[in-house]
Amino acid sequence: MPQRMPHRMPQTRWFASQTASTGVNSWSSRTHTCGELRSSHTGEKVTLCGWVQYKRHGLFIILRDFGGLTQILIPQQESMHRVKECLSDVPVESVIKVVGTVQQRPPGQENKDMVTGQIEVSAESVEILNTCKKLPFEIKDFVKKSESLRMQYRYLDLRSSQMQRNLRLRSELVMKMREYLCNLHGFVDVETPTLFKRTPGGAKEFLVPSRDPGRFYSLPQSPQQFKQLLMVAGVDRYFQIARCYRDEGSKPDRQPEFTQVDIEMSFVDQCGIMALVEGLLQHSWPKENGIVEVPFKRMTYEEAMRDYGVDKPDTRFDMKLMDVSEVFYSTNVGFLQSALSESRGTIQTICVPNGGTLFTRKDMDLLKQKAAQFNQEVTTFQIKADGSIKSPLKKLLSVSTVEELIKKTKAKAGDLLLIAAGSVQTVRPLLGSLRLQCADLLESHAVALRDPSVFHFLWVLDFPLFLPKDECPEELEAAHHPFTAPHPEDTDYMYTEPCRVRGQHYDLVLNGSEIGGGSIRIHRAAEQLHVLKNILKEDPSLLTHLLEALNSGAPPHGGIALGLDRLVAIIVGASSIRDVIAFPKSFRGHDLMSQAPDCVSEEELDSYHISVKWPKEKKTVLPAEETL
Amino acid sequence: MPQRMPHRMPQTRWFASQTASTGVNSWSSRTHTCGELRSSHTGEKVTLCGWVQYKRHGLFIILRDFGGLTQILIPQQESMHRVKECLSDVPVESVIKVVGTVQQRPPGQENKDMVTGQIEVSAESVEILNTCKKLPFEIKDFVKKSESLRMQYRYLDLRSSQMQRNLRLRSELVMKMREYLCNLHGFVDVETPTLFKRTPGGAKEFLVPSRDPGRFYSLPQSPQQFKQLLMVAGVDRYFQIARCYRDEGSKPDRQPEFTQVDIEMSFVDQCGIMALVEGLLQHSWPKENGIVEVPFKRMTYEEAMRDYGVDKPDTRFDMKLMDVSEVFYSTNVGFLQSALSESRGTIQTICVPNGGTLFTRKDMDLLKQKAAQFNQEVTTFQIKADGSIKSPLKKLLSVSTVEELIKKTKAKAGDLLLIAAGSVQTVRPLLGSLRLQCADLLESHAVALRDPSVFHFLWVLDFPLFLPKDECPEELEAAHHPFTAPHPEDTDYMYTEPCRVRGQHYDLVLNGSEIGGGSIRIHRAAEQLHVLKNILKEDPSLLTHLLEALNSGAPPHGGIALGLDRLVAIIVGASSIRDVIAFPKSFRGHDLMSQAPDCVSEEELDSYHISVKWPKEKKTVLPAEETL
């Protein structure tokens, strides 16, 4: 590219003078993007810059930039032989600048699938800005690449129209969120530190060695403490598109660094935060994805578990859990009776419409395998097209029991009942999981169950505030975090039966994925101390600064954090959040492009007063990263 | 605060129904902020929430929130004794909610210094939302606190009106920048990873141990590689308000994490980027700080060094360096002659207007001490009010030489000349530094030299691309970074005399502070390889991914990074960037509120395969953090 230095060479006019003063072409050497030209531009002299997408018979070049594709006509006259040669010889994916005139394509040669398909640009001069020397794969949307190859050459992968769209949509969505929060509602964008102190129980926090021997910063999982301190500081309304860190090792679809839309405000209640978030999503939702209806549906945690067996129900389809215990009170089938005699024992079912006719033996095996993962069994009960029954229970149940079961579940010919028996705590999650698996299976049999263009938002409310610890059920842990305020109806139980207390916590669920969660916080020091010390048995000295802050005039406050990566992934229909992050890590946390993390010298470690403790036995070679 | 749960208790209306649907009061339990009420609100019933700023004679309370102050009238009637008691007893800085009616203040009691000074709110009911139990200092702007105390109780320090203003101005500035980049010019906000690979020579990068033994991520100093890769990816225009990390130990006014406005675009030249930045600052500049005139002044590096002795000149005042070598060609004063006989030897001076009469002996000593820090001497030459000379040179110089010196420097009676002799490389920085010190001294003598409300932007251009290494002058290092493209006039020197090559680098200077820097980048792999391998003698294998990317169709591109913290500090007139960062670290990199960095358990270190190497000799106790 010819570089120009007007302050030295005032005779050279700089690019912007020939282009727009605003818009995507300002200050650029192009006059238009490759997606901009239409019939109305016919006769205009234009300059395009972009990548050679492909060449056709020495007659055309298709030029690409982020805006789209434009057909460039290669001149065939002898007088233009240099331009012809240049355009014919240039390798695919090279970067060129073409000056030419827009012309209507000859009748019959228009391309209706291309937004610029009415025109072509007759090249008059060309400049090769950079020659493409080497490509590991073709930059075409239809060429399938392994994900590890895509990650290794991410800068090429991002050239695909889908990835371009994902990154741009994400940027626009965030911009609209900022307008809503900052311009319409007076929120203040405050950046909080990421080099912080280890939080109590923050086992998933990355460490950062400091130059003070034995002292480490920690990369926090969220700005939770800071957002609360900002409320104590009187900032009133805070938001931040916050980078957060979580070291979870190898979890699919989790990233060691991720982004949340972090919001906190003072003098607000739970409904205020919910209305704020509903307005936020309505305002920022991409137009092409339809209109977001508010208010969102609301459901208690108890209702969600009862009807869907999960705290983040996919409400785009029915197949709710049904309690059929009473159908079986009188049977003497052993495993059913023993389930009913358990504490909180139950027999429940889901009815899969047409599952009886559509599902193959293999499908049924998959369902049984899923149950086995839960250390449970599921009993199938198929109703054939002719109304006959196929089920292990068939021989054991009386005709009237079978009739009652069908009546109670409203099962029709061709349906499939999946029956699980046991305690409520085990049966619900099992059937909740089978329900989702059945949805996948039905869709694999071409049943249109979940419309990908439909978005079901749902608030889940009234979570328990404390849960028994897995490893030690007589001890309690915070269901979400120790700063959540109790439900006002349950405050008395805080001192008598903490496990009965519901929290003022709200989860936002979209199409069965949790995309956000928040709460009204405890704003009084005595209550916070009671939770930390008496209920959770944690050392409150780690949070001295927060407790002191609550004693220095803390306003009532609450907030929410939305998972931006997941939200964008759902909007664009991506199967993984890696498709909406510019440079994601592999599922083992590696950057396959640069090979991070990497070794560093002893000398560098010395300045941080640390040394590597090599494992005693060399591990066998780790599996390749193919399966991201 | 009474918590309400409408989904359970539909009869309870929630706060927002009584307040605005947009603006700073949406979803809030207040109807107005404490800065909002005017005479026109007289008679309105309002709800205010805020902090008790102070109490006056049991008659008034001044209530504060981020919006301002409002006077609350304490009712004196017996029927209102509960409200009276409550308001009289509540400790300062407690959080309360007051419902009352706006009334005009009695004639003569208006307060013109208070925007709400025409009115007061006659309290009808009050609710104590949180009692303030303890305060380490008073929340009044005029109460001086030590900076370490401010940092320890940052959540209280942030309640001051100045800190509130700083945080809000920063948020608004960034929002306008985003509008300019994203909405007006098609830039895409792309988040890039902060867990990355160590960059070559990245000695100031924090390390983050991974769960892979011996492997570390690095927190990068800037997204430089990613922004270039995004251009190769065809993103065309990228920006990010990027968190960056630099481990510099204890440097005043540096923070281990800081924020830059990071910009990159394709198909652009140096003037394009400069015009973009000029437009950006013009668009986002706070209205109350006046209008930004564009284009900014431009100066070459050589001009800056020649006239100001520094590459970031403060152009708000004159006092330029003057070469007076020829005045002294004929003298035989030893140290002057020996300076002139040096390679690139020179005698230069600055003329301090009225320095001869204003500066005290102590001031003169300070100037000499500064010179001693440079291992040099400065010769003073005072012209008294009566025209007589006071200088160590007086006895040594001829009358004609003195006359010529005064003529050449245009020094007037009362002025002070500071003369330095030596090589150009040493004389310029010394006089550049003395020039700034003299400005401070003149201002300490009440000379209005630099108007704090005036902003002088300046581009500095044509920096050398490579510099000799301090420790080994025959080797070269990149003056800025190894990705800067050479000046088009100097490309041939790349292969013959690299130290003669100017780079296409531009620094943006505001009032003598560098607030940004950028460059047009090398976009061809061969040129980049030549720089890394042949000129800088670095191992190019560490940048394989970048070199491969340049070979896969990289467009011409360039960009800039603006230091947001410093920019905001200059705008608000803060003496330190700590005043525009919500939760800054001390100069030793500590968080004085939470005591980060902190110790972690052996067990936690084990999962990262590291152990602490304690220094053999226990260091003496480190000095207290008082002197931030």
Side-chain angles (χ1 to χ4, degrees):
Chain A
M1 181 172 71
Q3 298 297 350
R4 292 153 193 189
M5 305 283 286
H7 72 283
R8 299 239 137 237
M9 300 176 279
Q11 75 283 9
T12 327
R13 63 179 190 166
W14 60 281
F15 295 139
S17 62
Q18 66 189 67
T19 58
S21 65
T22 58
V24 291
N25 302 315
S26 46
W27 315 299
S28 172
S29 46
R30 65 174 171 255
T31 58
H32 296 81
T33 71
C34 295
E36 235 178 312
L37 297 171
R38 301 286 183 278
S39 293
S40 61
H41 294 91
T42 303
E44 269 185 45
K45 187 122 168 182
V46 297
T47 306
L48 301 181
C49 293
W51 285 259
V52 177
Q53 174 93 348
Y54 52 92
K55 303 191 282 183
R56 215 181 256 162
H57 323 301
L59 296 174
F60 304 111
I61 273 198
I62 304 298
L63 196 65
R64 184 195 73 235
D65 67 13
F66 70 94
L69 302 169
T70 296
Q71 179 160 294
I72 308 293
L73 190 64
I74 302 178
Q76 304 295 321
Q77 317 86 296
E78 185 49 37
S79 61
M80 303 276 277
H81 75 101
R82 210 201 60 83
V83 175
K84 180 182 178 182
E85 225 164 70
C86 201
L87 286 173
S88 305
D89 295 348
V90 63
V92 167
E93 290 303 316
S94 295
V95 186
I96 65 172
K97 175 171 151 184
V98 177
V99 179
T101 302
V102 182
Q103 58 187 40
Q104 201 75 25
R105 290 197 194 181
Q109 292 190 27
E110 300 90 351
N111 182 346
K112 281 180 187 154
D113 296 335
M114 201 169 164
V115 289
T116 63
Q118 295 297 312
I119 58 92
E120 59 196 5
V121 172
S122 174
E124 283 147 32
S125 74
V126 62
E127 189 181 340
I128 310 288
L129 299 173
N130 210 351
T131 307
C132 179
K133 302 262 165 44
K134 183 191 152 185
L135 279 183
F137 53 77
E138 279 188 87
I139 315 293
K140 285 181 186 162
D141 292 344
F142 56 83
V143 176
K144 284 258 176 204
K145 282 90 48 177
S146 79
E147 204 180 353
S148 65
L149 199 64
R150 286 180 53 197
M151 292 302 150
Q152 191 182 347
Y153 298 97
R154 187 60 163 181
Y155 48 86
L156 298 179
D157 185 47
L158 291 177
R159 289 184 189 166
S160 74
S161 58
Q162 183 61 54
M163 287 307 301
Q164 289 280 329
R165 176 170 174 264
N166 293 359
L167 292 186
R168 277 159 206 280
L169 182 139
R170 180 179 178 133
S171 169
E172 283 159 21
L173 181 85
V174 168
M175 189 65 203
K176 285 196 204 125
M177 286 182 168
R178 291 178 176 279
E179 284 166 354
Y180 179 82
L181 292 167
C182 218
N183 296 352
L184 297 186
H185 293 286
F187 281 77
V188 186
D189 179 5
V190 182
E191 299 174 63
T192 57
T194 56
L195 292 173
F196 193 49
K197 183 195 173 98
R198 210 142 180 81
T199 43
K204 290 169 181 170
E205 290 174 2
F206 285 101
L207 292 176
V208 181
S210 78
R211 290 177 193 267
D212 285 353
R215 292 188 177 268
F216 296 80
Y217 299 103
S218 182
L219 299 175
Q221 292 185 52
S222 88
Q224 182 65 34
Q225 290 185 45
F226 290 113
K227 68 202 275 194
Q228 293 193 236
L229 291 169
L230 286 171
M231 295 304 103
V232 180
V235 168
D236 197 69
R237 299 179 167 213
Y238 144 90
F239 86 102
Q240 182 182 197
I241 310 296
R243 190 69 59 90
C244 303
Y245 299 85
R246 192 162 43 202
D247 182 16
E248 294 193 298
S250 313
K251 274 215 179 174
D253 220 31
R254 286 284 176 95
Q255 284 283 304
E257 47 186 322
F258 58 97
T259 304
Q260 66 188 36
V261 183
D262 201 45
I263 295 172
E264 194 83 7
M265 66 179 281
S266 298
F267 309 114
V268 70
D269 63 5
Q270 174 164 309
C271 288
I273 300 284
M274 293 197 291
L276 150 68
V277 172
E278 288 165 354
L280 174 71
L281 288 166
Q282 194 175 46
H283 180 90
S284 58
W285 204 248
K287 280 209 186 77
E288 61 271 29
N289 290 89
I291 284 163
V292 171
E293 306 257 354
V294 299
F296 300 157
K297 280 189 6 188
R298 292 163 191 213
M299 194 181 280
T300 64
Y301 170 79
E302 180 51 31
E303 287 162 353
M305 293 306 293
R306 183 192 67 201
D307 294 346
Y308 299 93
V310 68
D311 62 359
K312 44 181 182 181
D314 188 342
T315 49
R316 286 175 299 175
F317 63 99
D318 236 328
M319 287 209 286
K320 286 184 192 170
L321 276 60
M322 290 175 280
D323 190 327
V324 289
S325 303
E326 62 184 26
V327 174
F328 297 101
Y329 282 150
S330 56
T331 69
N332 47 17
V333 181
F335 79 99
L336 297 176
Q337 276 311 314
S338 92
L340 289 175
S341 65
E342 266 184 66
S343 147
R344 303 197 69 203
T346 186
I347 301 169
Q348 303 207 2
T349 186
I350 56 172
C351 176
V352 186
N354 301 312
T357 47
L358 287 172
F359 284 6
T360 61
R361 170 176 293 273
K362 197 179 146 212
D363 295 336
M364 297 296 203
D365 287 346
L366 286 172
L367 294 169
K368 284 174 187 160
Q369 281 165 26
K370 172 69 76 182
Q373 286 169 19
F374 281 73
N375 287 319
Q376 287 177 67
E377 279 186 31
V378 63
T379 307
T380 58
F381 191 94
Q382 280 174 277
I383 308 165
K384 299 283 189 154
D386 62 2
S388 65
I389 304 299
K390 188 181 172 196
S391 170
L393 285 177
K394 188 178 176 182
K395 282 179 284 185
L396 305 171
L397 297 180
S398 67
V399 174
S400 67
T401 303
V402 167
E403 272 175 7
E404 211 187 319
L405 178 65
I406 290 176
K407 190 178 160 203
K408 173 105 186 163
T409 59
K410 300 197 177 87
K412 287 190 281 292
D415 287 356
L416 166 69
L417 292 176
L418 296 175
I419 300 167
S423 79
V424 139
Q425 298 96 308
T426 56
V427 163
R428 284 174 171 177
L430 169 64
L431 288 179
S433 178
L434 290 174
R435 175 178 174 269
L436 292 176
Q437 195 179 19
C438 286
D440 290 342
L441 290 171
L442 285 173
E443 285 175 349
S444 75
H445 291 291
V447 176
L449 198 66
R450 294 171 291 197
D451 182 344
S453 71
V454 161
F455 298 93
H456 273 231
F457 288 97
L458 173 74
W459 288 110
V460 180
L461 304 167
D462 292 355
F463 282 82
L465 189 50
F466 307 107
L467 293 172
K469 282 186 186 169
D470 277 343
E471 65 281 11
C472 180
E474 59 274 22
E475 290 177 16
L476 292 178
E477 62 187 0
H480 294 95
H481 58 57
F483 314 115
T484 306
H487 193 295
E489 290 171 6
D490 297 352
T491 43
D492 288 347
Y493 296 133
M494 290 285 278
Y495 299 86
T496 53
E497 287 173 86
C499 50
R500 276 188 69 170
V501 178
R502 290 163 298 164
Q504 292 195 60
H505 178 96
Y506 25 87
D507 264 358
L508 182 58
V509 176
L510 172 57
N511 292 355
S513 285
E514 185 202 321
I515 57 159
S519 59
I520 299 300
R521 326 297 181 185
I522 297 171
H523 70 281
R524 292 200 180 92
E527 192 170 14
Q528 185 66 72
L529 186 64
H530 174 67
V531 167
L532 290 171
K533 202 169 141 191
N534 304 331
I535 300 181
L536 301 175
K537 318 283 184 200
E538 275 182 28
D539 176 6
S541 73
L542 284 165
L543 288 168
T544 304
H545 53 286
L546 186 71
L547 291 165
E548 283 189 338
L550 296 184
N551 256 339
S552 329
H557 62 286
I560 197 163
L562 303 176
L564 182 63
D565 306 300
R566 183 153 301 145
L567 175 63
V568 177
I570 294 173
I571 294 175
V572 303
S575 59
S576 161
I577 60 169
R578 284 189 295 275
D579 283 346
V580 299
I581 295 173
F583 298 99
K585 303 278 192 294
S586 75
F587 97 106
R588 288 211 356 250
H590 291 190
D591 180 305
L592 301 184
M593 185 179 66
S594 73
Q595 302 302 327
D598 203 1
C599 302
V600 301
S601 70
E602 286 275 332
E603 198 189 328
E604 287 175 283
L605 296 182
D606 276 348
S607 34
Y608 295 106
H609 311 280
I610 55 170
S611 60
V612 176
K613 271 169 91 172
W614 294 100
K616 284 197 185 107
E617 288 178 46
K618 286 250 169 186
K619 275 190 191 157
T620 49
V621 179
L622 290 160
E625 284 262 10
E626 287 299 323
T627 55
L628 281 143
Chain B
M1 183 172 74
Q3 297 295 349
R4 292 152 192 189
M5 305 281 287
H7 73 283
R8 299 241 136 236
M9 301 176 280
Q11 75 283 7
T12 327
R13 65 181 188 162
W14 60 280
F15 295 138
S17 62
Q18 66 190 64
T19 58
S21 65
T22 58
V24 290
N25 301 315
S26 46
W27 316 299
S28 173
S29 46
R30 64 173 171 255
T31 57
H32 297 81
T33 70
C34 294
E36 233 177 314
L37 297 172
R38 301 286 183 276
S39 292
S40 60
H41 294 91
T42 304
E44 269 184 48
K45 186 124 169 181
V46 297
T47 307
L48 301 181
C49 294
W51 285 257
V52 177
Q53 173 92 349
Y54 52 92
K55 303 190 282 182
R56 214 182 258 164
H57 322 301
L59 297 173
F60 304 111
I61 273 197
I62 303 297
L63 196 65
R64 184 195 72 235
D65 67 11
F66 70 95
L69 302 169
T70 297
Q71 179 161 295
I72 308 292
L73 189 65
I74 302 178
Q76 304 295 323
Q77 315 87 296
E78 185 51 36
S79 60
M80 302 277 277
H81 74 100
R82 210 201 61 81
V83 175
K84 180 183 177 182
E85 224 163 74
C86 203
L87 286 172
S88 305
D89 295 348
V90 64
V92 168
E93 291 303 316
S94 295
V95 186
I96 65 171
K97 176 172 151 184
V98 176
V99 179
T101 302
V102 182
Q103 58 188 43
Q104 202 75 26
R105 292 198 192 181
Q109 293 189 27
E110 300 90 350
N111 183 345
K112 282 182 185 153
D113 297 334
M114 201 171 164
V115 289
T116 63
Q118 294 298 311
I119 58 95
E120 58 195 5
V121 173
S122 172
E124 282 146 33
S125 73
V126 62
E127 192 181 338
I128 310 288
L129 299 173
N130 210 351
T131 306
C132 179
K133 301 264 165 45
K134 183 193 152 183
L135 279 183
F137 53 78
E138 279 188 88
I139 315 296
K140 284 181 185 160
D141 292 345
F142 56 83
V143 176
K144 285 258 176 203
K145 283 86 52 176
S146 79
E147 205 180 353
S148 65
L149 198 64
R150 288 180 52 197
M151 292 301 150
Q152 190 182 347
Y153 297 98
R154 185 63 162 178
Y155 46 88
L156 298 179
D157 185 47
L158 291 177
R159 288 184 190 165
S160 74
S161 58
Q162 183 60 55
M163 288 306 301
Q164 289 280 328
R165 177 171 175 262
N166 293 358
L167 292 185
R168 278 161 206 278
L169 182 139
R170 181 180 177 132
S171 169
E172 283 159 21
L173 181 85
V174 167
M175 189 65 202
K176 286 197 206 125
M177 286 183 167
R178 292 178 175 280
E179 284 167 355
Y180 179 82
L181 292 167
C182 217
N183 296 353
L184 297 186
H185 293 286
F187 281 76
V188 186
D189 180 5
V190 182
E191 297 174 64
T192 57
T194 56
L195 293 173
F196 193 50
K197 182 196 175 100
R198 209 143 178 79
T199 42
K204 290 171 181 168
E205 290 174 2
F206 285 101
L207 292 175
V208 182
S210 77
R211 289 177 192 268
D212 286 352
R215 291 187 179 269
F216 296 81
Y217 299 104
S218 183
L219 298 175
Q221 292 186 50
S222 89
Q224 182 63 34
Q225 289 185 46
F226 289 114
K227 68 201 277 195
Q228 294 194 237
L229 290 168
L230 285 170
M231 295 303 104
V232 180
V235 167
D236 198 67
R237 297 176 171 217
Y238 144 91
F239 85 102
Q240 183 183 196
I241 310 296
R243 190 68 59 91
C244 303
Y245 300 85
R246 191 162 45 202
D247 182 15
E248 294 193 298
S250 314
K251 275 213 179 176
D253 220 32
R254 287 283 176 95
Q255 284 283 303
E257 45 187 321
F258 58 97
T259 304
Q260 66 188 35
V261 182
D262 202 44
I263 295 173
E264 194 83 7
M265 66 178 283
S266 298
F267 309 115
V268 70
D269 63 6
Q270 175 163 308
C271 287
I273 299 285
M274 292 196 292
L276 149 67
V277 172
E278 287 164 354
L280 173 71
L281 288 167
Q282 194 174 47
H283 181 90
S284 58
W285 203 250
K287 278 208 188 78
E288 61 272 30
N289 290 91
I291 284 164
V292 171
E293 306 257 352
V294 298
F296 300 156
K297 280 190 8 189
R298 292 165 191 211
M299 195 182 279
T300 64
Y301 170 80
E302 180 50 33
E303 288 161 353
M305 294 305 294
R306 185 192 66 202
D307 294 345
Y308 299 92
V310 67
D311 61 359
K312 44 181 183 183
D314 189 340
T315 50
R316 287 175 297 175
F317 62 100
D318 236 330
M319 286 208 281
K320 286 185 195 173
L321 276 60
M322 290 175 280
D323 190 328
V324 289
S325 303
E326 61 185 27
V327 173
F328 298 101
Y329 282 147
S330 56
T331 71
N332 46 16
V333 181
F335 79 99
L336 297 176
Q337 276 311 314
S338 95
L340 289 175
S341 65
E342 267 187 66
S343 145
R344 303 197 68 204
T346 186
I347 301 169
Q348 304 206 4
T349 186
I350 56 172
C351 175
V352 186
N354 302 311
T357 46
L358 288 173
F359 285 6
T360 61
R361 172 175 291 274
K362 197 179 149 211
D363 294 335
M364 296 296 201
D365 287 345
L366 286 172
L367 293 170
K368 283 173 188 161
Q369 280 165 29
K370 172 69 76 180
Q373 285 169 22
F374 281 75
N375 287 317
Q376 287 176 69
E377 280 186 29
V378 63
T379 306
T380 56
F381 190 96
Q382 281 174 276
I383 308 164
K384 299 279 188 158
D386 63 3
S388 65
I389 304 299
K390 187 182 174 196
S391 170
L393 285 178
K394 190 179 174 183
K395 283 178 283 188
L396 306 170
L397 297 180
S398 67
V399 173
S400 67
T401 304
V402 168
E403 273 175 6
E404 210 188 322
L405 177 65
I406 291 176
K407 191 178 159 203
K408 173 105 187 164
T409 58
K410 301 195 178 86
K412 286 190 282 293
D415 288 356
L416 166 69
L417 292 176
L418 296 175
I419 301 167
S423 80
V424 138
Q425 297 97 306
T426 56
V427 164
R428 284 174 171 177
L430 170 64
L431 288 178
S433 179
L434 289 174
R435 177 177 173 269
L436 292 175
Q437 198 179 16
C438 287
D440 290 343
L441 289 173
L442 285 174
E443 286 174 349
S444 76
H445 292 290
V447 177
L449 198 68
R450 293 170 293 194
D451 181 346
S453 71
V454 160
F455 297 94
H456 274 230
F457 288 98
L458 173 74
W459 288 110
V460 180
L461 304 167
D462 293 356
F463 281 82
L465 190 50
F466 306 107
L467 293 172
K469 283 186 185 172
D470 277 343
E471 66 281 11
C472 180
E474 58 275 23
E475 288 178 19
L476 292 177
E477 63 186 359
H480 293 94
H481 59 56
F483 313 116
T484 306
H487 194 295
E489 291 171 5
D490 297 351
T491 44
D492 289 347
Y493 296 130
M494 290 286 277
Y495 299 87
T496 53
E497 288 174 84
C499 51
R500 278 190 66 171
V501 178
R502 290 164 299 166
Q504 292 196 59
H505 178 95
Y506 25 89
D507 264 359
L508 182 58
V509 175
L510 172 57
N511 293 356
S513 284
E514 185 201 321
I515 58 159
S519 59
I520 299 300
R521 326 297 183 185
I522 296 171
H523 71 281
R524 291 198 180 93
E527 193 171 12
Q528 185 66 71
L529 186 63
H530 174 67
V531 167
L532 291 170
K533 203 169 140 189
N534 304 331
I535 300 181
L536 301 174
K537 319 284 183 198
E538 275 183 26
D539 176 7
S541 74
L542 285 166
L543 288 168
T544 304
H545 53 285
L546 185 71
L547 291 165
E548 282 189 339
L550 297 184
N551 256 337
S552 323
H557 61 286
I560 196 163
L562 304 177
L564 182 63
D565 306 300
R566 184 153 302 146
L567 175 63
V568 178
I570 294 174
I571 294 176
V572 303
S575 59
S576 159
I577 61 169
R578 283 189 295 276
D579 282 346
V580 298
I581 295 173
F583 298 99
K585 302 279 192 295
S586 76
F587 97 107
R588 293 221 341 261
H590 291 191
D591 179 305
L592 301 185
M593 184 180 65
S594 73
Q595 302 302 326
D598 203 0
C599 302
V600 302
S601 70
E602 286 275 333
E603 199 187 328
E604 288 175 281
L605 296 181
D606 276 347
S607 36
Y608 296 106
H609 311 280
I610 55 171
S611 60
V612 176
K613 271 169 91 172
W614 294 99
K616 282 192 189 116
E617 288 178 48
K618 286 252 170 186
K619 277 188 191 158
T620 49
V621 179
L622 290 160
E625 287 262 9
E626 287 298 321
T627 54
L628 283 143

